[in-house]
Amino acid sequence: MRLELAARLAENVPRYTSYPTAPHFHTGIDAAICRGWLQALNDGDEISLYLHIPYCDKLCWFCACHTKQTRHYEPVTTYLRSLHAEIATVSSLVAGKGRVRAVHFGGGSPTMLKPEDIVALGTVLRNSFTFLPGAKISVEIEPNDMDDARLDALAEIGMTRASLGVQDFDPKVQKAINREQSFLQTKTVVDGVRSRGVESVNLDLLYGLPHQTRESVASTVAQALTLEPDRIALFGYAHVPWFKKHQTMIDEAWLPGPEERFAQSQLAARAIVDQGYEAIGLDHFAKPGDGLALAARAGTLHRNFQGYTEDRYETLIGLGPSSISQFRQGYAQNMPSTAEYGRMVAEGGLAAVRGIALSEDDRVRGWIIERLMCDFAFSAIELVERFGEAGQRLLLKASSTALHGPARLLELDGDRFVVPAESRPFVRSIAAKFDKYFESGTARHSAAV
């Protein structure tokens, strides 16, 4: 691989799970604004719920999520009281107008909850919101937490998709990231959720971890494929010790360089595709009949804070500390501090402390970037049809940047601006260049988060 391509892979650019990205959120969007956005939902709106569980019983050193380790359950019990209070407040403001299409439990480790607390949380959600028939319930699972009682509890709340973090099966890599998890443990959980009727299993794999080699990545992928997951997410490890202090436990000398990271990612992707999976966007893979693959082929794939999704809702309500909500009007993020979050949601309060309201140009830029991230292309005709004069104005800038700038980012195919196949691994960098040059002086360009 050319060295300049390896350098581009190492660029610090946003993940673009939202636009504008989180560094542009500000304190002008607060609980009062969020309250108004919740009350403005329409009767027929479809919504998604995200519930954040900000605790783990063991901290993985590679993790960049908003979580903390606890060896005692009392803080979790206290937190769940706050989460139930926030659910009550939000549901009273929604007042039955939204219809829940999807629920995602993330963290942290949602599966460290006691079985009775998992069931209670599922019950209060269904009692507080109107669920559409066939609503999807996704749960991030830590295999080290799991037992039959928790598997039964997840089945009782209607889990339809289990997402398991694998990272790497090599014991040396696992020791270096403080995440020991055998293949047998993982297989036992996969078999357990499937025996309880769960229709979809997702596995998360990582490359670029300490002590990883192409051989260890190939071995992990081969083992993961024997479990026949419906989806696979293949992420690159982001080493950000200035942002997550526990990552200082990982010696940077153990990390593969940019060229090796790229080789690992390409090897893994080829191995997955060779087994019949379809590549979805930048880093996901799915069996051809999976909803994610169907959406990708239909051009209806979307991207949100959980990554790629086939969900078409306009509203995502985030519950719990640090959670981000997405509304037609903009984004609102909750207080990250668990203790302060608890104080804010007590007695009917909301916890939103920052966010951003969307301008028309933000919507146009966001649509272009999402299509690049999902389809590696966007249609000039659709852009103008959707956004009118604002779309036409941004199209001129996009054309200049894409086709005539020094980088020559895209190719023109009829009315479609297309990312060349060899540049697709770097689509985030391409999106960042659009972000930077769309509007000089007020560009939304930001560092990765």
Side-chain angles (χ1 to χ4, degrees):
M1 185 185 71
R2 293 177 299 176
L3 291 179
E4 61 268 25
L5 292 185
R8 286 178 68 186
L9 189 69
E11 286 181 343
N12 191 26
V13 294
R15 292 180 61 235
Y16 289 114
T17 52
S18 71
Y19 189 88
T21 54
H24 294 292
F25 294 2
H26 56 79
T27 56
I29 303 299
D30 57 10
I33 297 291
C34 186
R35 183 178 294 266
W37 289 352
L38 285 165
Q39 292 173 323
L41 287 173
N42 299 316
D43 287 338
D45 285 353
E46 293 188 3
I47 63 177
S48 176
L49 303 175
Y50 171 76
L51 287 83
H52 189 70
I53 309 300
Y55 290 100
C56 298
D57 44 23
K58 185 178 182 181
L59 196 59
C60 302
W61 295 336
F62 70 89
C63 181
C65 298
H66 178 76
T67 187
K68 62 177 69 175
Q69 182 179 2
T70 180
R71 298 185 184 276
H72 306 285
Y73 200 72
E74 183 179 354
V76 180
T77 300
T78 300
Y79 167 67
L80 287 174
R81 285 197 293 268
S82 299
L83 183 60
H84 280 253
E86 186 187 18
I87 291 170
T89 300
V90 169
S91 66
S92 70
L93 294 170
V94 171
K97 289 183 291 186
R99 303 292 186 268
V100 175
R101 171 67 69 187
V103 180
H104 187 96
F105 293 84
S109 297
T111 50
M112 79 168 290
L113 298 183
K114 292 179 179 179
E116 59 267 29
D117 288 333
I118 294 172
V119 173
L121 199 51
T123 300
V124 77
L125 287 175
R126 290 188 182 272
N127 289 340
S128 302
F129 297 94
T130 302
F131 277 59
L132 287 165
K136 305 296 184 183
I137 313 293
S138 303
V139 183
E140 296 176 11
I141 290 178
E142 154 62 293
N144 287 290
D145 291 333
M146 298 308 293
D147 53 28
D148 282 339
R150 284 184 170 85
L151 287 168
D152 290 341
L154 293 174
E156 186 172 342
I157 68 169
M159 179 175 69
T160 60
R161 177 170 299 116
S163 183
L164 284 73
V166 170
Q167 326 322 333
D168 192 290
F169 285 124
D170 188 296
K172 184 177 182 180
V173 175
Q174 291 184 355
K175 185 176 180 180
I177 62 175
N178 200 38
R179 174 65 176 264
E180 296 181 48
Q181 173 187 325
S182 70
F183 173 77
L184 181 58
Q185 276 180 294
T186 306
K187 183 179 186 304
T188 299
V189 174
V190 170
D191 291 344
V193 299
R194 284 182 169 150
S195 70
R196 289 164 173 82
V198 173
E199 64 190 41
S200 180
V201 172
N202 172 82
L203 299 182
D204 287 348
L205 308 181
L206 286 179
Y207 61 87
L209 287 170
H211 300 307
Q212 270 187 323
T213 64
R214 279 170 250 191
E215 291 73 20
S216 73
V217 169
S219 176
T220 290
V221 171
Q223 291 178 83
L225 287 169
T226 67
L227 301 177
E228 299 186 1
D230 301 271
R231 300 179 182 182
I232 296 175
L234 177 65
F235 300 125
Y237 166 58
H239 190 62
V240 288
W242 59 89
F243 181 57
K244 292 295 180 181
K245 296 298 183 184
H246 55 262
Q247 289 190 356
T248 59
M249 301 297 293
I250 295 175
D251 190 331
E252 293 187 5
W254 302 341
L255 298 174
E259 190 166 359
E260 174 64 19
R261 281 174 58 96
F262 183 79
Q264 290 176 9
S265 71
Q266 296 302 100
L267 179 152
R270 284 195 299 271
I272 296 167
V273 170
D274 285 348
Q275 291 300 308
Y277 289 79
E278 295 185 9
I280 310 296
L282 181 64
D283 47 25
H284 281 52
F285 303 84
K287 289 183 175 180
D290 184 88
L292 207 62
L294 297 175
R297 291 199 297 272
T300 58
L301 189 67
H302 295 286
R303 189 165 171 84
N304 66 14
F305 300 105
Q306 282 79 57
Y308 290 105
T309 178
E310 71 271 34
D311 296 330
R312 302 185 185 185
Y313 56 81
E314 284 190 288
T315 301
L316 183 155
I317 299 174
L319 301 162
S322 80
S323 292
I324 299 176
S325 296
Q326 176 181 343
F327 300 95
R328 281 187 291 269
Q329 300 91 333
Y331 299 99
Q333 184 172 23
N334 279 356
M335 162 62 66
S337 165
T338 304
E340 184 60 28
Y341 159 84
R343 287 189 286 271
M344 293 180 73
V345 299
E347 299 180 2
L350 294 175
V353 293
R354 62 196 294 263
I356 194 166
L358 297 175
S359 69
E360 188 62 16
D361 276 1
D362 287 335
R363 300 178 202 280
V364 181
R365 295 184 189 118
W367 183 85
I368 291 174
I369 289 173
E370 183 180 42
R371 291 337 313 151
L372 289 175
M373 298 292 292
C374 291
D375 304 332
F376 302 110
F378 68 90
S379 162
I381 292 175
E382 186 176 0
L383 175 65
V384 175
E385 287 178 346
R386 279 177 172 268
F387 300 103
E389 186 176 327
Q392 182 68 49
R393 183 172 64 252
L394 268 293
L395 177 61
L396 294 175
K397 290 182 177 291
S399 300
S400 176
T401 303
L403 303 177
H404 307 298
R408 189 93 187 280
L409 301 174
L410 305 179
E411 296 175 348
L412 194 59
D413 181 9
D415 82 301
R416 289 167 57 82
F417 292 79
V418 180
V419 179
E422 65 273 13
S423 298
R424 290 183 179 182
F426 316 107
V427 68
R428 287 170 59 204
S429 295
I430 291 172
K433 291 184 187 301
F434 275 100
D435 195 355
K436 183 177 181 180
Y437 295 117
F438 264 146
E439 189 167 336
S440 60
T442 58
R444 295 292 193 189
H445 182 65
S446 61
V449 293

